[in-house]
Amino acid sequence: MVLPQTRGPRAFSAGPRPRRSTGRLRSTIGIVLVLATAAAALVPIPAGASVDPLGGPVVRSDRSGAPREARRARAAAVATRGCRPPATPTPRPSTTPAPTLPPTASPSAAAPAVATQSPAPVVVAVATPSPTPGPSATPSPTRTPKPTPTPYKPPGIDVSHWNGRLPWTAIREAGMRFAIMKATQGTTHVDDLVDDHVRAARRQGLLLGAYHFFDYRVAGAPQAEHFVSVAREHGLIDGALPLAVDVECLPSLGWAEWSETVPRLRALVNRIYTLTGRVPLLYTSRHMWEQVTGSAEGFGHLPLWVACWRCSSPYLPTGWSGWRIWQIRPYAFDGMTQKLDGNIWKGTDLSLTRFRTQPMSVAGGASATNATEIPVDLPSHDGEEVRTKDDLGDWTTWRPRTETVTHPMTPGDGTRTVSVQLRYPEGPTGPVFSDDVILDTVAPLVSRPLLRLGPGSVLPGGGIPLDLRFRMTEERSGIAGATITPDCGTGSFAEVDPLASGPVVVAGSAPAGDCSVAIRITDGAGNPSTPEARAAVRLDLREDRDPALAWAGWSGRRAADALDGHLHRAERRGAALRFTAEGSELAIIAPTGPGRGRIRVFVDGRIVRTIDLAAPVRTPRAVVGIIPLAGGGTHAVTLRALAAEGATGLPLVEIDALVLLRVVGSPG
């Protein structure tokens, strides 16, 4: 945090010290010494004590240290506030004039005479508690351990309007992973540059956070509401680091009265929790925590952002056993004369990313479920107890939060709103988080699949093109996927598009012989179709030298790209191929290309189709025509060669093979 006249957790200064002339300074010192000596004369001096000219009698500790411990205990008993405000002149008492001592009188000689005039010793209240052993807010260079490399990463910065506009590209290129921006202070103030800082840092891909400077003079809950409102407006809650509260002294705020400061800070923390569901980071140092709160207990559950510059390891405030972020030292960046507060995260990049505020997850993030008890997760939110509900039921009772939180769904299919709430026992209750999920316990439907001969070319080795056709029906959660399991030797099929609507056609191939295909679809809730749908066919491949084929006006010839290296070519117009076909479909396999003729197909003496073999480029083993055979029985088929339309001379017609498809078994 950068505040006027200071950086981070170091002690605040009221401003540059004004220049004074040497003579005036000496006169002031002399007056102070005289007044202090006179005041000391009014206080009984214990035996064995000497006089501190600026503070009255001082008990010198012996080697056992007992007198000094007693002094510390007495100071702690009367200390109720910290954070000394800027020095102001102390007014002279108007009722009792300061005593005037003879110039030759020494404090030790004057003490016995004055002691009989004082009815009781004067108790002087200590403005600040005695310092806790360890580094002070402004560490002495001779006492501060030198910086040593640490295993913690990654690094980040915190900034405010005091830093001005920054070279965020250079900051990112220097390896910074996160940036925490000052957002607010008190109940109305908004940092002048928070919007610029957030926009620029976000463009560089840094993980962002926001902090609020705690004003210990005013109520905590209104500060929290102001802070959360501004942070939410700038997108610094969801997907960002948890909100942070900056607890330190500011001279302009005056004394921190601990009896008022601690309840106000607790109200601020609790209100942030009730508004966001996360406890905030708490930024402070051990010295500042002592000054602002009197080392108050009961805050150690908050993740600590500790300030400790030039320390080999951070000194922790009272109540904490560990830290999350350490403000360790200033960082320098290219293009900047000033340095920025530098921090490190205790952990890895992954743990830092997971520390950001993440959304509620229902059913593992799925949009639908068929479970009667579903997991509900708030991965980054805080709380020790949890309760859940859905829109058809009431809240469950509060129960201890475990690693896996589940909600028993009220029966009834359809879109449901599931809610979850966390709290701390004897403490604040977090907000209600809700998300929708589809409860679907009905299995999807798949129609009886059909296997049909498909377009394309027969693959080398006899892979015959097939089409698998079926319909999928799911009314609630949609189709998540379909699994096709072929039992066709080396056959295979393409994947199914789960978003396909209407009839689904999936291309595949299979060698000659028996081919069986099973289909199972799954909906968005995980329900599988039941029973498994199945189709089975037999593929009969008849190559051109099959003795069951009767060729008239054709001649056989070798062809390297034919199925068996051989095919038949028509030698005259009207050349005929006759055969008997048994099955549901007939596919004619022939080469296509420029100047090719036509094939006229007769089934049971009737013309059913004329197939044109002309194409821009030559394609061997092409499925040039698929002829349905009515009834699936036995049919007499004749193929006649014709010249290309409008052409004269012999027709350029070649036939490689025939394929017959016959449905077998009882499809599911």
Side-chain angles (χ1 to χ4, degrees):
M1 315 300 172
V2 180
L3 295 167
Q5 311 299 334
T6 187
R7 294 175 63 91
R10 293 188 278 184
F12 292 91
S13 168
R17 187 182 302 276
R19 296 180 178 271
R20 295 184 176 92
S21 65
T22 304
R24 183 177 179 183
L25 179 60
R26 290 175 177 174
S27 299
T28 302
I29 294 175
I31 293 172
V32 171
L33 289 174
V34 170
L35 294 177
T37 304
L42 299 175
V43 182
I45 301 176
S50 62
V51 176
D52 181 346
L54 296 180
V58 176
V59 179
R60 301 298 183 186
S61 62
D62 58 15
R63 293 191 177 185
S64 68
R68 181 168 297 167
E69 291 177 1
R71 181 182 177 187
R72 287 180 177 172
R74 184 169 62 254
V78 297
T80 60
R81 60 181 180 174
C83 298
R84 183 185 297 274
T88 56
T90 303
R92 183 183 299 273
S94 59
T95 56
T96 305
T100 303
L101 300 179
T104 58
S106 66
S108 58
V114 177
T116 59
Q117 301 175 9
S118 176
V122 178
V123 178
V124 181
V126 181
T128 56
S130 57
T132 303
S136 64
T138 307
S140 169
T142 59
R143 294 185 177 183
T144 302
K146 294 181 179 180
T148 56
T150 70
Y152 306 117
K153 59 179 184 179
I157 58 173
D158 61 88
V159 299
S160 72
H161 67 281
W162 293 105
N163 304 113
R165 288 177 170 81
L166 302 172
W168 286 99
T169 300
I171 290 171
R172 174 184 56 81
E173 291 175 349
M176 298 299 103
R177 285 281 291 109
F178 64 93
I180 305 178
M181 326 294 188
K182 181 178 180 181
T184 53
Q185 180 171 331
T187 58
T188 59
H189 175 75
V190 178
D191 190 88
D192 295 340
L193 289 181
V194 61
D195 188 63
D196 290 348
H197 286 158
V198 169
R199 291 177 184 272
R202 184 168 284 144
R203 282 195 295 268
Q204 298 300 324
L206 299 180
L207 181 57
L208 304 185
Y211 77 84
H212 170 84
F213 191 93
F214 172 51
D215 186 339
Y216 43 77
R217 302 170 303 174
V218 297
Q223 294 190 62
E225 291 164 2
H226 174 52
F227 181 27
V228 171
S229 175
V230 173
R232 199 181 301 279
E233 176 185 346
H234 290 83
L236 294 173
I237 294 183
D238 295 334
L241 293 173
L243 299 179
V245 176
D246 179 359
V247 177
E248 53 184 302
C249 291
L250 186 62
S252 63
L253 300 184
W255 291 106
E257 300 290 346
W258 299 336
S259 62
E260 299 175 354
T261 295
V262 173
R264 287 169 181 164
L265 178 59
R266 199 178 307 280
L268 169 62
V269 168
N270 289 350
R271 187 60 178 156
I272 290 176
Y273 176 73
T274 60
L275 292 173
T276 68
R278 296 207 72 176
V279 295
L281 279 163
L282 196 141
Y283 169 89
T284 194
S285 67
R286 184 166 72 176
H287 174 72
M288 285 297 175
W289 186 247
E290 177 186 357
Q291 289 294 302
V292 179
T293 71
S295 298
E297 299 281 357
F299 293 87
H301 66 289
L302 304 179
L304 177 63
W305 177 10
V306 63
C308 194
W309 290 15
R310 296 182 296 276
C311 305
S312 58
S313 61
Y315 295 90
L316 302 182
T318 300
W320 277 273
S321 59
W323 55 273
R324 289 293 185 92
I325 297 177
W326 174 9
Q327 189 185 74
I328 186 170
R329 64 177 177 271
Y331 290 162
F333 299 95
D334 292 341
M336 292 186 62
T337 56
Q338 66 164 320
K339 296 181 180 181
L340 301 178
D341 289 345
N343 303 270
I344 52 176
W345 164 256
K346 188 177 185 179
T348 63
D349 279 343
L350 179 60
S351 65
L352 173 64
T353 301
R354 288 177 175 173
F355 192 54
R356 75 189 194 281
T357 302
Q358 303 172 54
M360 171 185 176
S361 172
V362 176
S367 60
T369 182
N370 61 0
T372 56
E373 188 158 342
I374 62 172
V376 179
D377 190 19
L378 285 170
S380 60
H381 292 77
D382 307 295
E384 296 177 359
E385 292 186 338
V386 63
R387 64 175 182 171
T388 58
K389 72 180 293 290
D390 59 58
D391 49 1
L392 296 185
D394 297 325
W395 284 104
T396 62
T397 57
W398 288 102
R399 59 191 186 274
R401 184 184 184 185
T402 57
E403 184 174 351
T404 302
V405 176
T406 60
H407 171 68
M409 296 290 283
T410 307
D413 285 5
T415 301
R416 309 288 290 280
T417 299
V418 179
S419 302
V420 60
Q421 190 175 30
L422 300 172
R423 75 172 183 182
Y424 285 91
E426 308 300 328
T429 299
V432 175
F433 293 92
S434 299
D435 196 10
D436 290 342
V437 67
I438 298 173
L439 181 60
D440 183 2
T441 59
V442 179
L445 300 177
V446 58
S447 67
R448 187 181 68 181
L450 299 176
L451 272 172
R452 292 291 182 260
L453 295 169
S457 297
V458 177
L459 302 176
I464 300 168
L466 295 173
D467 281 345
L468 177 63
R469 304 179 183 185
F470 57 93
R471 287 179 177 269
M472 302 181 294
T473 304
E474 169 53 42
E475 297 179 353
R476 292 179 178 83
S477 56
I479 302 298
T483 302
I484 298 176
T485 307
D487 183 11
C488 308
T490 58
S492 62
F493 287 83
E495 295 183 356
V496 179
D497 180 5
L499 300 179
S501 59
V504 179
V505 180
V506 181
S509 66
D514 290 337
C515 178
S516 174
V517 177
I519 305 173
R520 185 183 294 275
I521 65 173
T522 305
D523 65 18
N527 299 303
S529 58
T530 305
E532 193 174 54
R534 182 177 296 274
V537 297
R538 178 167 295 159
L539 300 174
D540 181 10
L541 176 62
R542 296 186 182 182
E543 297 173 340
D544 69 313
R545 289 183 286 190
D546 189 308
L549 303 179
W551 301 91
W554 304 75
S555 63
R557 57 191 297 269
R558 293 185 180 277
D561 53 8
L563 280 174
D564 62 349
H566 191 275
L567 50 70
H568 275 70
R569 172 179 288 183
E571 295 293 342
R572 59 180 174 81
R573 287 174 175 268
L577 167 61
R578 296 181 176 86
F579 58 93
T580 300
E582 181 180 359
S584 302
E585 288 183 319
L586 165 67
I588 301 170
I589 314 300
T592 61
R596 295 279 169 170
R598 297 172 293 165
I599 298 175
R600 181 160 290 165
V601 182
F602 298 80
V603 176
D604 297 330
R606 298 173 56 190
I607 299 175
V608 296
R609 185 173 303 175
T610 299
I611 302 170
D612 191 350
L613 304 179
V617 296
R618 186 176 186 278
T619 302
R621 305 182 308 278
V623 178
V624 297
I626 299 173
I627 311 300
L629 302 175
T634 301
H635 303 274
V637 180
T638 300
L639 306 181
R640 290 190 178 275
L642 304 176
E645 189 170 356
T648 60
L650 291 176
L652 182 52
V653 175
E654 295 173 324
I655 295 179
D656 191 339
L658 304 171
V659 177
L660 291 167
L661 179 145
R662 182 165 61 89
V663 176
V664 297
S666 300

